[in-house]
Amino acid sequence: MAGRVARGLANAAGYVTQRPPLSSAAVRTLVRVTVPGIVAHLDLDAFFAAVEELENPELRTKPLVVGGDPRGRGVVATANYVARGYGIHSAMSAAEAIRRCPQAVFVRPRHSLYREYSQHVWSTVRGIVPTVEQTGIDEGYLDVGEVARDFLEARVVAEAVRTAVRAATSLTCSLGVAPCKVAAKVGSDARKPGGLVVVVPGQEAAFLAPYDVRRLPGVGPKAEERLRPAGVDTVGRLAALGDAELRRLLPGSVGAVLRDRARGIDPRGLELDVERISISVENTFERDLADPERLHDELRGMAAEVAASLQRSGQTARTVTTKLRYADFSIRSRSTSLDVGIDDAEQIGDLACRLLDRGLRDRPGALRLVGVGVSGLVAYRQLALGSL
């Protein structure tokens, strides 16, 4: 990727399709939170330092620290894995880092550059798993249950994400896949760099138990100060606390939340803040489908659902999009825009089928999923006034 990554990538906002695995349903409501059955946490490995190494490959073999001036009061933002071998880590003072490794190379953070790489990463991820809660420039949660029916498929999806990120950006990432956020988050950190951990349902507590209590998301320095003197030094020990002991060590509601997390109980869903800018219907097939006539029939049925939704809401759409997901979970979409908005099922179906054919000419293959979407929504009344 010499130099800068591509600009102008897709918008980070996306829709959550709420549907059973083998049926279709239109996305018709605003969604802020969804609770996936399979969630992954993705964490880019030593992100700032990794970007600096891509920009200057000579740094790869040197202890590299991204952060403030070691002669001042700066802190370490991140360090590459060579520097970590000297005990340097994020949030350490830069002065301590240079003391531990006098030959370390220090570079100042370049946040605009990191944002460019981050945008490219998350655009790539959304090409495989559309629904993402990005919690930071270098990490976020993925609703893998949206594209995988079980944890065996979820592993394949996670491997596809990891491979796609590496191919698109030359960056490595680690992923944890689990039934809940807390296990996924701990899992993504378990085999860095470039690792993948899958925690199957029922094994969340056993997986978390051996880890240092500080590794549990939500246990900060103050909680640690209360827990360690009482011998609660692992996640498993926190999970085993009785109610009275828990109230003594961690009073208030925070104690119960942390004990639940230590037991692998975490009802948090992905937090999304999206705008309704489109209507879409999609269907995942029980077996991959390659017959063009059957695919056309599927699309025309979806087009009828989309048209009915437009008509109920009193809207027309100027853009029609057909979505194709292949057996390897990669996604392609083809769109066309019109001068005048439409809400007619036959017109939408005709356009969707043409777009499907175009997509299959570009990349032939059996499809796991197809979808029809419309955007550029305009209210009837607005359209009528605009034409006067």
Side-chain angles (χ1 to χ4, degrees):
M1 172 189 307
R4 302 293 188 265
V5 296
R7 296 179 181 272
L9 299 171
N11 192 304
Y15 278 105
V16 182
T17 54
Q18 297 177 311
R19 55 178 175 78
L22 303 180
S23 65
S24 61
V27 182
R28 300 180 181 114
T29 57
L30 296 177
V31 178
R32 286 192 63 84
V33 177
T34 181
V35 182
I38 308 174
V39 63
H41 184 264
L42 182 150
D43 195 357
L44 291 166
D45 301 319
F47 177 50
F48 292 178
V51 170
E52 295 295 344
E53 289 175 355
L54 289 176
E55 294 288 309
N56 182 2
E58 293 181 0
L59 296 174
R60 290 175 180 168
T61 59
K62 299 177 181 179
L64 172 64
V65 177
V66 179
D69 187 345
R71 295 167 297 182
R73 300 176 63 182
V75 297
V76 175
T78 193
N80 70 358
Y81 287 94
V82 179
R84 293 182 189 197
Y86 292 87
I88 298 172
H89 57 78
S90 300
M92 174 182 286
S93 72
E96 174 63 16
I98 198 70
R99 187 190 69 77
R100 295 189 181 198
C101 182
Q103 69 271 31
V105 177
F106 280 76
V107 300
R108 299 300 297 271
R110 295 189 284 175
H111 294 291
S112 61
L113 176 63
Y114 306 150
R115 282 193 295 271
E116 290 182 35
Y117 275 88
S118 176
Q119 288 167 4
H120 198 25
V121 166
W122 293 108
S123 176
T124 300
V125 170
R126 286 185 173 89
I128 300 172
V129 181
T131 302
V132 171
E133 177 197 345
Q134 191 176 336
T135 56
I137 193 171
D138 60 347
E139 64 176 316
Y141 293 96
L142 286 57
D143 183 359
V144 179
E146 184 180 12
V147 297
R149 288 175 287 229
D150 54 40
F151 278 79
L152 288 175
E153 286 191 355
R155 175 181 287 276
V156 175
V157 172
E159 289 173 345
V161 168
R162 190 171 51 170
T163 300
V165 169
R166 183 63 180 265
T169 66
S170 297
L171 295 168
T172 66
C173 61
S174 298
L175 289 105
V177 179
C180 63
K181 276 185 166 182
V182 65
K185 169 76 171 173
V186 175
S188 69
D189 194 49
R191 293 182 184 169
K192 279 185 162 290
L196 170 60
V197 170
V198 178
V199 182
V200 298
Q203 294 299 310
E204 299 94 327
F207 167 71
L208 294 168
Y211 286 99
D212 189 281
V213 70
R214 192 70 167 84
R215 297 277 292 276
L216 187 74
V219 175
K222 290 185 179 179
E224 183 183 18
E225 288 176 6
R226 289 174 169 268
L227 293 170
R228 287 201 188 279
V232 182
D233 54 359
T234 66
V235 175
R237 289 181 181 274
L238 174 56
L241 286 178
D243 291 344
E245 185 72 356
L246 182 69
R247 284 193 297 270
R248 184 180 70 81
L249 295 174
L250 298 173
S253 61
V254 65
V257 170
L258 291 178
R259 184 177 64 181
D260 278 350
R261 290 185 185 177
R263 293 173 174 176
I265 302 168
D266 185 3
R268 293 175 299 160
L270 269 65
E271 297 182 8
L272 310 170
D273 189 3
V274 300
E275 297 178 21
R276 180 184 171 89
I277 57 173
S278 69
I279 297 171
S280 65
V281 178
E282 59 186 44
N283 188 23
T284 300
F285 307 123
E286 189 170 5
R287 293 182 179 84
D288 297 342
L289 189 57
D291 182 359
E293 289 189 10
R294 289 189 59 192
L295 290 168
H296 283 191
D297 289 342
E298 289 283 343
L299 289 177
R300 291 191 183 279
M302 296 176 200
E305 291 188 54
V306 169
S309 181
L310 284 170
Q311 292 161 13
R312 282 194 299 269
S313 62
Q315 293 178 304
T316 62
R318 292 186 55 211
T319 299
V320 177
T321 300
T322 297
K323 176 179 175 182
L324 300 78
R325 175 175 287 133
Y326 292 84
D328 63 357
F329 295 95
S330 62
I331 293 176
R332 300 289 187 275
S333 62
R334 296 293 181 268
S335 299
T336 187
S337 295
L338 308 168
D339 293 332
V340 178
I342 59 174
D343 66 353
D344 179 73
E346 186 173 354
Q347 287 180 286
I348 295 171
D350 286 344
L351 291 169
C353 289
R354 290 179 205 166
L355 293 167
L356 173 79
D357 294 341
R358 196 175 90 195
L360 290 175
R361 282 195 301 270
D362 295 340
R363 182 187 169 179
L367 299 179
R368 173 184 172 83
L369 171 150
V370 293
V372 177
V374 293
S375 55
L377 307 184
V378 180
Y380 284 144
R381 183 169 297 176
Q382 180 181 341
L383 183 65
L385 290 173
S387 65
L388 294 176

